[in-house]
Amino acid sequence: MNFIRIMNDMKMKKKLALTFFSAAVLPLVLSGLFLTGKLREIVINNASSQVSDNVERVRKRTEELIKVPLDISYRLTIDNRMKMVATKKYESYTEVIQAYREYTDIRDYIQLYKEISSIRVYVVNPEALNNWEFIQPDNTITSEAWYKEAIHQKGLAGWNLIKDERNDTEHLSLIRSFPVDSTGQKGVLVINVDKQQLSSILDQESFTTLIVDNRNRVVGSNEAEFFGKNLSDIDGEEKILSRQEGSYNTVVGGKASKVVIANLNPENSWNGLRIISVFSVSEITRDANQVIRLGVVVITVSLIFAILLIYASASLLSRRLFRLSKHMSKVGMGSWETYLHIDGKDEVGLLSKQFNALVRSVHDLVQEVQETNHQKSLVEQRQNEIKFKMLASQINPHFLFNSLESIRMEAHIRRQDDIAEAVWLLSTLLRSSLEAGNGNIPLREELERVRCYLGMQKFRYEDRLKYSLVVDPDLQEMPVPPLIIQPLVENSIVHGLDNREEGAVIKVEVKRIPKGVRVKVCDNGAGFSAERLASIRAELAVSVHEQESKRIGIRNVNDRLVILYGASSALSIESELGKCTYITFFIPGGAASND
């Protein structure tokens, strides 16, 4: 706690300097000493891991390469035509040559598959000839270890470095025996793996990489001088000859080295291959040692420069923070018009910009709250105008309702049901209008008020008035302001029916459209002249703050819509003299605000 108190009381300049020395300089020196010791180990481990990955890649690619001769050998050992050509008792050399010419499978395989360079079939047949595809094995061939081993393994494949008699060169070859007839005579199939394909796999490796057979002979290498040699001829430890899969430390050429070995065991084979990769530790760590020496120099120079820079930065930062603190004090005293400018795009500069934006936002919010309260007051005022203009303020509601109920009951007793219904509709309309508050109500309640009003007017005008209400069912519970549709219906009756002897049809339609709900009140009444319609539109276009309405009608409805939903929800009036009038408004989003 004392340490925290001391740090909190310390000046920003000294605090940053102390923090830099304790959190940067000292750990950097200690970690530098530790990491330089670990760097060599990491480099060696990374190199070993890389070599292991490379060896695994060579193993997989070599396995894919030798799958081709393995597959071809399987096809040839079950090829009866090949066996017949190799064992047939020919009567003349012409017949032999003709048979060899007609049998093209071996030549086709060599042309089709780049992974192999030659195919030789060794079968004892005195009547046959040697054409480097079918060869008569002499004593020299039959005495070879690979030939004897192939005969002994009974059809399994073997992989060894053997000499091709045609060009006296050695190749990694597949060796496999096969039965040639029912007497038990056997032949031997030899398929040479293409040297170029094998070299293309190894040449991509940056370290010395070898492929050796089970006799420790190098059958493939990315260094030409090792090809064909035995591992014992290479200047390395004897234990490499017997090591199996894994990573080992050894000495090659008098240098400490790493050896990574992976086994390749082809399917249906009596022996396999080993992939061996060797790299010298000194070669791997040479670059790391240079980096370490260079790092010591760079770190030393950097520390000296950082010490000077941190002191200058701390001084600059403390001055800028002090300016910000003074500005905040001014704002705290109520000075909303002050503006702070601090150069730079760092955290302090950004903080000053955000603080300026915060001051403006708070100022704008205060004005917005004031404007919102004013707008809310206007809405309540318009709502109260409708409520109080529909009912005379001198009438006692209870007296009025009781009187209307008495009249309705008396009309019902005297079997004047139409009068009773009209009184009930009037009572319901007055009660709902009187109970209408400043908040929103469900659309169904507003429509019920419209039905009551139209029912009363139907009682008055009888067959001269026809009406319909078309509403999407899912909009019944949509919140709307009270007395938002009924005044428009009343306007249609007053201006459309009173001046038309043949009566009128009034239609109220509430329909969901994209981005909201459209409310339309239509009548086929007297309509407005073009001049009167223009006058009404001009009156509605006047700002709510500029004109006070003394009527309940469309002006009041329009003002409330604009206040609640914006100018896009203002009343739209279309009319044609003597024909029709359409009044439409839009509620965005399909629901009114409950605020």
Side-chain angles (χ1 to χ4, degrees), residues 220-237:
S221 172
N222 59 350
E223 297 186 15
E225 66 270 18
F226 292 147
F227 181 79
K229 291 185 179 181
N230 195 288
L231 280 182
S232 59
D233 299 332
I234 301 175
D235 188 11
E237 288 188 356

Side-chain angles (χ1 to χ4, degrees), residues 574-591:
E574 301 292 337
S575 182
E576 189 174 348
L577 186 62
K579 291 186 177 181
C580 60
T581 300
Y582 299 90
I583 303 179
T584 307
F585 65 86
F586 171 74
I587 298 178

Side-chain angles (χ1 to χ4, degrees), residues 545-557:
H545 306 288
E546 297 177 3
Q547 178 175 339
E548 294 293 332
S549 176
K550 297 181 179 180
R551 296 183 290 108
I552 299 177
I554 61 176
R555 172 66 194 187
N556 192 289
V557 173

Side-chain angles (χ1 to χ4, degrees), residues 20-33:
F20 173 75
F21 281 111
S22 59
V25 176
L26 186 59
L28 183 61
V29 173
L30 296 177
S31 61
L33 296 175

